[in-house]
Amino acid sequence: MSTRKLSWLSKLIIITLVTGTSSLGISLLLTTSGFEHLLGIVKPKSESAKASQNKLMSASAQQNISPATDQMNEIPKPFQGTIVYQGKLKANEKVIALTFDDGPGPKNTAQILEILKKNDIKATFFMIGEMVKYFPQVAKQVAADGHVIGNHTWHHWYRRMDVATAASEIDRTAEIIYKTTGEKTTLFRPPGGFLNNGLVEYAKNEKYAVMMWSEESGDAERRSPQVPMLIKNVLKYAKPGAIVLMHDGGGNRSKSVKALPEMIAGLKAQGYRFVTIPQLLEMQAQEQHLAEVASPIVTKDEHPNN
């Protein structure tokens, strides 16, 4: 082979290698860009774009760690602005609602939550605003476990209040419950069951359902009964639609914690299942609606057979 032919062949090989390398580089670049696109990786083209992306990521992160569930514990309209002592259900509708007042607390509430979880029971907790402020993580856990939260004022005062004070007691509590747990509540329980100190009047005007109770364990009495009597007080007077008052705060509630498992077992043995306050009110509303449909009002000009 001549020198001239070798020179020409060498040039051909070099051109081929250069072309192949360039194509490979372009292919890799395209592949990388495509790969990033598939993963959703978008590179900001400027510093302002980078700042904007970081802001969005920060907002997204805050949403992920936010405790708020933005859950509205709605109650049927007939109960808004009324006082309720128990659910009015048929005798064979054996449901009962457990309620706990004066929490949340770091010890008693946590223990009660564990007992409820083991028994797959949802309850209703009427919380004091100050206690939610002091123990926000416990309040969050109540909501995270699927329980319903009600308003029990900020200070748990019994005294007579003007409109401004009553509004502050209820509104501040509603606000901190929502900010801490994400639950918007329309359930209110007056401290001590006092109906005429200004709180209930304000709550009714704000369309809260004022939730009283039909039976209690007696765990908040000055001379609190021993555990067996706490259990007996609830089991003896249990009835369909009953609302049971107990406490997870406001003092040493170790007796309540000890009594709760046997109390639950006894109610289950009687055939009861457990509901939250909104569930109880919804059941009553449905039963009333069915009764009205089944027994329509007949005027003097109508005959039931027409």
Coordinates of all heavy atoms in Angstrom, one line a residue, residues 179-233:
K179 N -55.8 25.2 65.7 CA -54.4 25.5 65.3 C -53.5 24.3 65.7 O -52.5 24.0 65.1 CB -53.9 26.7 66.0 CG -54.4 28.0 65.3 CD -53.7 29.2 66.0 CE -54.2 30.5 65.2 NZ -53.6 31.7 65.8
T180 N -53.9 23.6 66.8 CA -53.1 22.5 67.3 C -53.4 21.2 66.7 O -52.5 20.4 66.3 CB -53.2 22.4 68.9 OG1 -52.9 23.6 69.5 CG2 -52.3 21.3 69.4
T181 N -54.7 20.9 66.5 CA -55.1 19.6 66.0 C -55.7 19.6 64.7 O -55.8 18.5 64.0 CB -56.1 19.0 67.0 OG1 -57.4 19.7 66.9 CG2 -55.6 19.0 68.4
G182 N -56.2 20.7 64.2 CA -56.9 20.8 62.9 C -58.4 20.5 63.0 O -59.1 20.5 62.0
E183 N -58.9 20.3 64.2 CA -60.3 19.9 64.4 C -61.1 21.2 64.6 O -60.8 22.0 65.5 CB -60.5 18.9 65.5 CG -60.1 17.5 65.2 CD -60.8 16.5 66.0 OE1 -61.9 16.7 66.5 OE2 -60.1 15.4 66.2
K184 N -62.1 21.4 63.9 CA -63.1 22.5 64.1 C -64.3 21.9 64.8 O -64.9 21.0 64.3 CB -63.6 23.1 62.8 CG -62.4 23.8 62.0 CD -63.0 24.3 60.6 CE -61.8 24.9 59.8 NZ -62.3 25.4 58.5
T185 N -64.5 22.4 66.0 CA -65.6 21.7 66.8 C -66.8 22.6 67.0 O -66.6 23.8 67.1 CB -65.0 21.3 68.2 OG1 -66.1 20.6 68.9 CG2 -64.5 22.5 69.0
T186 N -67.9 22.0 67.0 CA -69.2 22.7 67.3 C -69.8 22.1 68.5 O -71.0 22.2 68.7 CB -70.2 22.7 66.1 OG1 -70.3 21.4 65.7 CG2 -69.6 23.6 65.0
L187 N -69.0 21.4 69.3 CA -69.5 20.8 70.6 C -69.0 21.6 71.8 O -67.8 21.9 71.8 CB -69.0 19.3 70.7 CG -69.4 18.4 69.6 CD1 -68.7 17.0 69.7 CD2 -70.9 18.2 69.5
F188 N -69.8 21.9 72.7 CA -69.4 22.7 73.9 C -70.0 22.0 75.1 O -71.1 21.6 75.2 CB -69.9 24.1 73.8 CG -69.7 24.9 75.1 CD1 -68.4 25.3 75.4 CD2 -70.7 25.2 75.9 CE1 -68.1 26.0 76.5 CE2 -70.5 25.9 77.1 CZ -69.2 26.3 77.4
R189 N -69.1 21.9 76.1 CA -69.6 21.4 77.4 C -69.2 22.4 78.5 O -68.1 22.8 78.7 CB -69.0 20.1 77.8 CG -69.3 19.6 79.2 CD -68.9 18.1 79.4 NE -69.9 17.2 78.8 CZ -69.7 15.9 78.6 NH1 -68.5 15.4 79.0 NH2 -70.6 15.2 78.0
P190 N -70.2 22.9 79.2 CA -70.0 24.0 80.2 C -69.3 23.4 81.5 O -69.7 22.3 82.0 CB -71.4 24.5 80.6 CG -72.3 23.4 80.3 CD -71.7 22.6 79.1
P191 N -68.3 24.0 82.0 CA -67.6 23.5 83.2 C -68.6 23.4 84.4 O -69.4 24.3 84.6 CB -66.6 24.6 83.5 CG -66.3 25.2 82.2 CD -67.6 25.2 81.4
G192 N -68.5 22.2 85.0 CA -69.4 21.9 86.1 C -70.9 21.7 85.8 O -71.7 21.6 86.6
G193 N -71.2 21.8 84.5 CA -72.6 21.7 84.0 C -73.4 22.9 84.3 O -74.6 22.9 84.3
F194 N -72.8 24.1 84.6 CA -73.5 25.3 84.9 C -74.1 25.9 83.6 O -73.3 26.2 82.7 CB -72.6 26.3 85.6 CG -72.2 26.0 87.0 CD1 -71.0 25.4 87.3 CD2 -73.1 26.3 88.0 CE1 -70.7 25.1 88.6 CE2 -72.8 25.9 89.3 CZ -71.6 25.3 89.6
L195 N -75.4 26.1 83.6 CA -76.1 26.6 82.4 C -76.4 28.0 82.4 O -76.8 28.6 81.4 CB -77.4 25.8 82.3 CG -77.2 24.2 82.1 CD1 -78.6 23.6 82.1 CD2 -76.4 23.9 80.9
N196 N -76.2 28.7 83.5 CA -76.7 30.1 83.6 C -75.6 31.1 84.0 O -76.0 32.1 84.7 CB -77.9 30.2 84.6 CG -79.0 29.3 84.2 OD1 -79.5 29.4 83.1 ND2 -79.5 28.4 85.1
N197 N -74.4 30.9 83.6 CA -73.4 31.9 84.0 C -72.9 32.6 82.7 O -71.8 33.3 82.8 CB -72.2 31.2 84.7 CG -71.5 30.1 83.8 OD1 -71.9 29.9 82.7 ND2 -70.5 29.5 84.3
G198 N -73.6 32.6 81.6 CA -73.2 33.3 80.4 C -72.6 32.5 79.3 O -72.6 32.9 78.2
L199 N -72.0 31.4 79.7 CA -71.3 30.6 78.7 C -72.2 29.9 77.7 O -72.0 29.9 76.5 CB -70.4 29.5 79.4 CG -69.1 30.1 80.1 CD1 -68.5 28.9 81.0 CD2 -68.1 30.5 79.1
V200 N -73.2 29.2 78.3 CA -74.2 28.5 77.5 C -74.9 29.4 76.5 O -75.2 29.1 75.4 CB -75.1 27.6 78.3 CG1 -76.2 27.1 77.5 CG2 -74.3 26.5 79.0
E201 N -75.3 30.5 77.0 CA -76.1 31.5 76.2 C -75.2 31.9 75.0 O -75.7 31.9 73.8 CB -76.4 32.7 77.0 CG -77.3 33.7 76.2 CD -77.6 35.0 77.1 OE1 -77.2 35.0 78.3 OE2 -78.3 35.9 76.6
Y202 N -73.9 32.2 75.2 CA -73.1 32.5 74.1 C -72.9 31.3 73.1 O -72.9 31.5 71.9 CB -71.7 33.0 74.6 CG -70.8 33.4 73.5 CD1 -70.9 34.6 72.8 CD2 -69.8 32.4 73.1 CE1 -70.0 34.9 71.8 CE2 -68.9 32.7 72.0 CZ -69.0 34.0 71.4 OH -68.2 34.3 70.3
A203 N -72.7 30.2 73.7 CA -72.4 29.0 72.9 C -73.6 28.7 72.0 O -73.5 28.3 70.8 CB -72.1 27.8 73.8
K204 N -74.8 28.8 72.6 CA -76.0 28.5 71.8 C -76.2 29.6 70.6 O -76.6 29.2 69.5 CB -77.3 28.6 72.7 CG -77.4 27.4 73.6 CD -78.5 27.5 74.7 CE -79.8 27.5 74.0 NZ -80.9 27.6 75.1
N205 N -75.9 30.8 70.9 CA -75.9 31.8 69.9 C -74.9 31.6 68.7 O -75.2 32.0 67.6 CB -75.7 33.2 70.5 CG -76.8 33.7 71.3 OD1 -78.0 33.3 71.1 ND2 -76.5 34.6 72.3
E206 N -73.8 30.9 69.1 CA -72.8 30.5 68.1 C -73.1 29.2 67.4 O -72.2 28.6 66.8 CB -71.4 30.5 68.7 CG -71.0 31.9 69.2 CD -70.8 32.9 68.1 OE1 -70.2 32.5 67.1 OE2 -71.4 34.0 68.2
K207 N -74.3 28.6 67.7 CA -74.7 27.3 67.1 C -73.9 26.1 67.6 O -73.8 25.1 66.9 CB -74.6 27.4 65.6 CG -75.5 28.5 65.0 CD -76.9 28.4 65.4 CE -77.8 29.6 64.8 NZ -79.2 29.5 65.3
Y208 N -73.4 26.2 68.8 CA -72.8 25.0 69.4 C -73.9 24.1 69.9 O -74.9 24.6 70.3 CB -71.9 25.4 70.6 CG -70.5 25.9 70.2 CD1 -70.3 27.2 70.0 CD2 -69.4 25.0 70.2 CE1 -69.0 27.7 69.7 CE2 -68.1 25.5 69.9 CZ -67.9 26.8 69.7 OH -66.7 27.3 69.4
A209 N -73.6 22.8 69.9 CA -74.5 21.9 70.6 C -73.9 21.8 72.0 O -72.7 21.4 72.2 CB -74.4 20.5 69.9
V210 N -74.7 22.2 73.0 CA -74.3 22.2 74.4 C -74.5 20.8 74.9 O -75.6 20.3 75.1 CB -75.0 23.2 75.2 CG1 -74.6 23.2 76.7 CG2 -74.9 24.6 74.6
M211 N -73.4 20.1 75.2 CA -73.4 18.6 75.5 C -73.3 18.4 77.0 O -72.3 18.7 77.6 CB -72.3 17.9 74.8 CG -72.3 18.0 73.3 SD -74.0 17.5 72.5 CE -74.2 15.9 73.2
M212 N -74.4 17.9 77.6 CA -74.4 17.6 79.0 C -74.1 16.1 79.1 O -73.4 15.5 78.3 CB -75.7 18.0 79.7 CG -76.0 19.5 79.5 SD -74.8 20.5 80.4 CE -75.4 20.3 82.1
W213 N -74.7 15.4 80.1 CA -74.5 14.0 80.2 C -75.6 13.3 80.9 O -76.4 14.0 81.6 CB -73.2 13.7 81.0 CG -73.1 14.4 82.3 CD1 -73.6 13.9 83.5 CD2 -72.6 15.7 82.6 NE1 -73.4 14.8 84.5 CE2 -72.8 15.9 84.0 CE3 -72.1 16.7 81.8 CZ2 -72.4 17.1 84.6 CZ3 -71.7 17.9 82.4 CH2 -71.9 18.1 83.8
S214 N -75.8 12.0 80.7 CA -76.9 11.3 81.4 C -76.5 10.4 82.5 O -77.3 10.0 83.3 CB -77.7 10.5 80.3 OG -76.8 9.6 79.7
E215 N -75.2 10.2 82.6 CA -74.6 9.4 83.7 C -73.2 9.7 83.8 O -72.5 10.2 82.9 CB -74.8 7.9 83.5 CG -74.2 7.3 82.2 CD -74.4 5.8 82.1 OE1 -73.7 5.1 82.8 OE2 -75.2 5.4 81.3
E216 N -72.7 9.5 85.0 CA -71.3 9.8 85.3 C -70.7 8.7 86.3 O -71.4 8.1 87.1 CB -71.1 11.2 85.9 CG -72.0 11.4 87.2 CD -71.9 12.9 87.6 OE1 -70.8 13.4 87.8 OE2 -73.0 13.5 87.8
S217 N -69.3 8.6 86.1 CA -68.7 7.6 87.0 C -68.5 8.1 88.4 O -68.4 7.4 89.4 CB -67.3 7.3 86.4 OG -66.4 8.5 86.5
G218 N -68.4 9.5 88.6 CA -68.2 10.0 89.9 C -66.7 10.3 90.2 O -66.4 10.6 91.3
D219 N -65.9 10.2 89.1 CA -64.5 10.3 89.3 C -64.0 11.8 89.7 O -62.9 12.0 90.1 CB -63.7 9.8 88.1 CG -64.0 10.6 86.8 OD1 -64.9 11.4 86.9 OD2 -63.3 10.3 85.8
A220 N -64.9 12.8 89.5 CA -64.5 14.1 89.8 C -65.1 14.6 91.1 O -64.9 15.8 91.5 CB -64.9 15.1 88.7
E221 N -65.8 13.8 91.9 CA -66.3 14.2 93.2 C -65.2 14.4 94.2 O -64.1 13.9 94.0 CB -67.2 13.1 93.7 CG -68.5 12.9 92.9 CD -69.3 11.7 93.4 OE1 -69.0 11.1 94.5 OE2 -70.4 11.4 92.7
R222 N -65.5 15.3 95.1 CA -64.4 15.6 96.1 C -63.9 14.3 96.8 O -62.7 14.2 97.0 CB -65.0 16.6 97.2 CG -65.2 18.0 96.6 CD -65.5 19.0 97.8 NE -65.5 20.3 97.2 CZ -65.7 21.4 98.0 NH1 -65.9 21.2 99.3 NH2 -65.7 22.6 97.5
R223 N -64.8 13.5 97.2 CA -64.4 12.2 97.8 C -64.7 11.1 96.7 O -65.7 10.5 96.7 CB -65.2 11.9 99.1 CG -64.8 12.9 100.2 CD -65.5 12.5 101.5 NE -65.2 13.4 102.6 CZ -65.6 13.3 103.8 NH1 -66.5 12.3 104.1 NH2 -65.3 14.1 104.8
S224 N -63.8 11.0 95.8 CA -64.0 10.2 94.6 C -64.1 8.7 95.1 O -63.4 8.2 95.9 CB -62.8 10.3 93.7 OG -62.9 9.4 92.6
P225 N -65.2 8.0 94.6 CA -65.3 6.6 94.9 C -64.1 5.8 94.5 O -63.3 6.2 93.7 CB -66.6 6.2 94.1 CG -67.3 7.5 93.8 CD -66.2 8.5 93.6
Q226 N -64.0 4.6 95.1 CA -63.0 3.7 94.7 C -63.3 3.1 93.4 O -64.4 3.2 92.9 CB -62.8 2.6 95.8 CG -62.3 3.1 97.1 CD -61.0 3.9 97.0 OE1 -60.0 3.4 96.4 NE2 -61.0 5.1 97.6
V227 N -62.3 2.4 92.8 CA -62.4 1.9 91.4 C -63.7 1.0 91.2 O -64.4 1.2 90.2 CB -61.2 1.1 91.0 CG1 -61.4 0.4 89.7 CG2 -60.0 2.1 90.9
P228 N -64.0 0.1 92.1 CA -65.2 -0.8 91.9 C -66.5 0.0 91.8 O -67.4 -0.3 91.0 CB -65.2 -1.7 93.1 CG -63.8 -1.8 93.5 CD -63.2 -0.4 93.3
M229 N -66.6 1.1 92.6 CA -67.8 1.9 92.5 C -67.9 2.8 91.3 O -69.0 3.0 90.7 CB -67.9 2.8 93.8 CG -69.1 3.7 93.9 SD -70.6 2.6 93.9 CE -70.5 1.8 95.5
L230 N -66.7 3.3 90.8 CA -66.7 4.0 89.5 C -67.3 3.1 88.4 O -68.1 3.6 87.6 CB -65.3 4.4 89.2 CG -64.6 5.4 90.1 CD1 -63.2 5.7 89.6 CD2 -65.4 6.7 90.2
I231 N -66.9 1.9 88.4 CA -67.3 0.9 87.4 C -68.8 0.7 87.5 O -69.6 0.7 86.6 CB -66.5 -0.4 87.5 CG1 -65.1 -0.2 87.2 CG2 -67.1 -1.4 86.5 CD1 -64.2 -1.3 87.6
K232 N -69.2 0.4 88.8 CA -70.7 0.1 89.0 C -71.6 1.3 88.6 O -72.7 1.1 88.1 CB -70.8 -0.2 90.5 CG -72.3 -0.6 90.9 CD -72.4 -0.9 92.4 CE -73.8 -1.3 92.8 NZ -73.9 -1.6 94.2
N233 N -71.1 2.5 88.9 CA -71.9 3.7 88.6 C -72.3 3.8 87.1 O -73.4 4.2 86.7 CB -71.2 5.0 89.0 CG -71.2 5.2 90.5 OD1 -72.0 4.6 91.2 ND2 -70.3 6.0 91.0

